[in-house]
Amino acid sequence: MLKESVHNCVIIGSAGYSAAIYTARAGLNPLVRKKSWRTANLN
């Protein structure tokens, strides 16, 4: 069973870790994905 969650912001790439910290501090729920993330998972 998959767990569903809501993300306010999607950050792609390893350089986005600091951006994820700031968005989390702003009260958003960021999702960070590495470059190897497959586009087939976007469904």
Side-chain angles (χ1 to χ4, degrees):
M1 180 181 219
L2 295 174
K3 180 181 175 184
E4 292 187 24
S5 58
V6 176
H7 299 278
N8 303 64
C9 180
V10 177
I11 301 168
I12 301 173
S14 61
Y17 290 135
S18 58
I21 291 170
Y22 287 113
T23 55
R25 286 181 184 173
L28 300 174
N29 188 14
L31 173 65
V32 180
R33 291 292 181 180
K34 292 183 180 180
K35 185 178 178 181
S36 63
W37 188 34
R38 296 181 182 165
T39 56
N41 293 337
L42 292 174
N43 296 339

